[in-house]
Amino acid sequence: MSTSEDKGLLRFLTCGSVDDGKSTLIGRLLHDSRAILADTLQAIERTSARRGMEAIDLSLLTDGLQAEREQGITIDVAYRYFSSGRRKFIIADAPGHEQYTRNMVTAASTADLAIILIDARRGVLTQTRRHAQLAAMLGIPQLVVAVNKMDLVDFAQPVFERIRDDFLAFAAGVGIGQARFVPMSALRGDMVVDRGEHLHWYDGPTLMEMLESAPAAVAPHAHPFRFPVQWVCRPQDAANPALHDYRGFMGRVEAGRIAVGDTVSVLPSGLSTTVRAIEIGGEALAHAGAEQSVALLLDDDIDVSRGDMIVAPGQAPQVLRQISADLCWLSDLPMDRVRTYLIRHTTREVRAKLVAIDHRLDVNTLERMPAERLVMNDIARVRFKLAHPVFADPYVQNRSTGAFVVIDDSTYNTVGAGMIVADADAAA
C-alpha cells in the first residue's frame, strides 16, 4: 500500500477487562506513530520518573483526569486524535468496570471498529465477553481481538492460540461475526506499530496495519436521504426587502445525498416539493451529502418546522408513535415507570411514556432477565408510547436516525440512550 494513500477517518474504541492495558496501548500507538508533541512527551517522562518508574508510563497520555491518575484506573471515556500518514484516527478509551457500562455505550455509539483487549495471563474473562457482546449489540461492524501482555507469558504461541479458540467459541455462541486476532505487548511495543523481535511465529499484520487497512464503515451517502430540520431561517432586514421572501431550512444531512432540482418529501405532512437551492454559509452548492450542515430552499411554500424531516420520496423512514428499543439507563436515579419523559430523536423532541420493559440484559452472563425497573448502567429492551410521531430507521440500518436520548423533563438531564429496533407493530 502506498504511504500516500489516505484511507479516510477511522473511529475506533478500545475496551476489555480492567488492567488489560487499554491506556498503555493507546499511548504506544501515539508514541510509536510519532503523534506526541515533544513537550507532552517530556511531561509524562517527568511524571513517570517521579513515580519511580524505569520506563515511560504511556498510559498517562490518555488518563487525563486527576482522579484517574490517583486511582490508577480509567473512569471516563478519553478521546485522542492522531494520523499515521495513511489514515486519520479518533480513539475512544472506554473503562473496564461494569459500573461504567454507560461510558462504553457512549464511546461505541460512533465507532467503526472495536479493539477488545485480553490479558494473555488471564484469558477470556466475564468483562471481555460483556464488552464484546455490547460492541456487537451497538452495531460496531469490525472487531479486533488484541491479546496483550504477551511479554508476561514468554511470548508463547500456545497461549495466544488457546485464547483465540476460547474467544471464537464464545463468539459463535452469541452470534458475534468475524473477528481478527493479534498477539502483542503494548508495554514493549511488539506488534502494535512495529513488529518487534519476540513474535516471529506470528505472520499476520500488526495492530496498526489492521487499523490502516480496515474497510470504512458503510458510507452514509449510500443510505436514503435524511435531513432533520434544526432551524427555519427567516431573516428580517428592513434595508433588504428581498430577504423577506427567504425561507431556508437549516440542519445536517444525516444520510444520503441531495442536489438542486431533486424532489423531496416533508414529514409528517407527506407533501412533496423540489429543492430550489442548497446553501452553506451563504455560498450556493449544486449538491450536498451526509455530515454536511446546509440550508435547503424549496420551490413550494409548504409548512416545515423544527423537528420535521425532509426525505427522499419513496424511501421514507418509519413514522412511529411507539418505539421498541435497546436502552442504556444513564442516571443514578432509577427509571420511574409512572413518569413521563422527553425523548429527543434527531431534532425532534416528544413526550414519552414507558409501556413495558420486555427484558433486562445481564451484562455478566448475557442472559435476558425480567425487570420491573432500570438503574444506572442497566441495558434493557423497552417500549415507549409517544405523544407525537418520530421518523426513524432501525439503528442497525442508520445510527443517526435510529438513536435517541431520554431526558428528565424536570431537570433536563439526559438519563437514557436508546437504539431503535425494527418493530412492524409500532408504525403510526
Side-chain angles (χ1 to χ4, degrees):
M1 183 187 296
S2 169
T3 57
S4 62
E5 181 182 358
D6 188 349
K7 298 280 288 184
L9 176 67
L10 183 76
R11 298 178 176 91
F12 69 92
L13 163 74
T14 61
C15 51
S17 185
V18 177
D19 296 329
D20 280 346
K22 297 180 294 297
S23 296
T24 300
L25 168 62
I26 294 175
R28 176 60 64 184
L29 283 170
L30 297 174
H31 180 271
D32 289 7
S33 61
R34 298 173 177 82
I36 307 173
L37 296 176
D39 56 347
T40 301
L41 184 59
Q42 291 170 1
I44 63 172
E45 285 175 343
R46 290 193 297 269
T47 302
S48 300
R50 285 198 302 269
R51 294 182 176 184
M53 306 179 80
E54 296 181 2
I56 183 173
D57 183 0
L58 294 174
S59 68
L60 294 176
L61 288 167
T62 56
D63 285 351
L65 299 179
Q66 184 64 32
E68 293 172 350
R69 293 183 175 181
E70 290 173 354
Q71 298 180 46
I73 61 170
T74 303
I75 62 173
D76 208 338
V77 180
Y79 292 93
R80 290 296 180 270
Y81 309 83
F82 76 103
S83 172
S84 68
R86 295 181 181 177
R87 190 166 217 170
K88 295 177 181 178
F89 301 96
I90 299 177
I91 316 170
D93 178 21
H97 288 84
E98 177 184 346
Q99 62 264 39
Y100 301 120
T101 297
R102 63 177 183 171
N103 302 73
M104 179 182 172
V105 171
T106 300
S109 62
T110 58
D112 303 313
L113 179 147
I115 300 174
I116 306 291
L117 265 77
I118 297 177
D119 187 327
R121 300 168 300 173
R122 299 189 291 173
V124 177
L125 301 177
T126 296
Q127 287 176 311
T128 311
R129 294 191 291 269
R130 171 165 53 88
H131 280 171
Q133 179 68 6
L134 287 173
M137 186 187 79
L138 291 163
I140 300 178
Q142 302 172 73
L143 197 64
V144 173
V145 180
V147 182
N148 192 27
K149 303 189 180 182
M150 289 295 296
D151 53 302
L152 300 181
V153 294
D154 296 325
F155 297 97
Q157 182 177 358
V159 173
F160 170 73
E161 292 177 345
R162 184 187 71 250
I163 292 173
R164 181 190 60 195
D165 293 344
D166 288 347
F167 187 92
L168 287 173
F170 154 74
V174 297
I176 294 176
Q178 185 177 3
R180 304 179 72 183
F181 297 81
V182 57
M184 67 182 199
S185 169
L187 183 65
R188 298 192 181 188
D190 296 85
M191 290 300 165
V192 180
V193 174
D194 303 316
R195 299 195 67 85
E197 301 176 353
H198 302 94
L199 290 164
H200 55 85
W201 47 265
Y202 170 76
D203 58 5
T206 65
L207 178 63
M208 178 61 86
E209 289 170 342
M210 289 183 179
L211 296 175
E212 289 181 329
S213 63
V218 177
H221 298 92
H223 294 302
F225 178 63
R226 303 285 187 262
F227 185 81
V229 176
Q230 183 174 359
W231 185 43
V232 180
C233 181
R234 298 292 301 270
Q236 300 295 321
D237 187 348
N240 189 354
L243 287 178
H244 291 180
D245 295 328
Y246 183 97
R247 195 172 186 219
F249 304 106
M250 307 182 79
R252 183 177 185 266
V253 180
E254 294 296 351
R257 295 179 182 272
I258 193 67
V260 174
D262 283 355
T263 300
V264 293
S265 295
V266 179
L267 298 176
S269 69
L271 296 175
S272 295
T273 185
T274 303
V275 176
R276 175 163 53 89
I278 304 172
E279 297 181 353
I280 180 169
E283 178 184 352
L285 304 177
H287 52 78
E291 300 183 354
Q292 280 186 282
S293 295
V294 297
L296 300 184
L297 283 72
L298 306 178
D299 271 340
D300 299 296
D301 187 15
I302 58 178
D303 184 21
V304 183
S305 304
R306 173 182 169 85
D308 291 354
M309 187 178 290
I310 301 174
V311 302
Q315 296 180 307
Q318 284 188 296
V319 179
L320 303 176
R321 280 195 177 269
Q322 180 170 301
I323 54 175
S324 181
D326 291 322
L327 180 73
C328 179
W329 193 248
L330 308 177
S331 174
D332 53 0
L333 296 176
M335 189 176 199
D336 189 341
R337 299 189 65 141
V338 303
R339 281 197 53 188
T340 298
Y341 291 93
L342 295 176
I343 279 183
R344 181 175 294 159
H345 174 266
T346 63
T347 60
R348 195 169 180 83
E349 197 169 280
V350 300
R351 293 195 173 275
K353 183 79 172 179
L354 181 67
V355 174
I357 301 175
D358 293 335
H359 60 258
R360 179 181 64 83
L361 179 69
D362 186 315
V363 294
N364 293 318
T365 66
L366 304 181
E367 292 183 81
R368 296 178 176 182
M369 311 290 291
E372 290 298 319
R373 67 172 194 163
L374 300 180
V375 298
M376 184 188 291
N377 294 309
D378 275 350
I379 294 176
R381 175 67 55 84
V382 301
R383 282 174 282 155
F384 284 105
K385 185 176 181 179
L386 311 179
H388 300 282
V390 295
F391 321 117
D393 299 288
Y395 182 81
V396 295
Q397 295 178 12
N398 188 325
R399 288 186 182 183
S400 296
T401 57
F404 63 90
V405 294
V406 182
I407 298 170
D408 184 321
D409 63 355
S410 63
T411 63
Y412 232 66
N413 291 332
T414 298
V415 294
M419 297 153 286
I420 296 172
V421 298
D423 187 350
D425 297 330

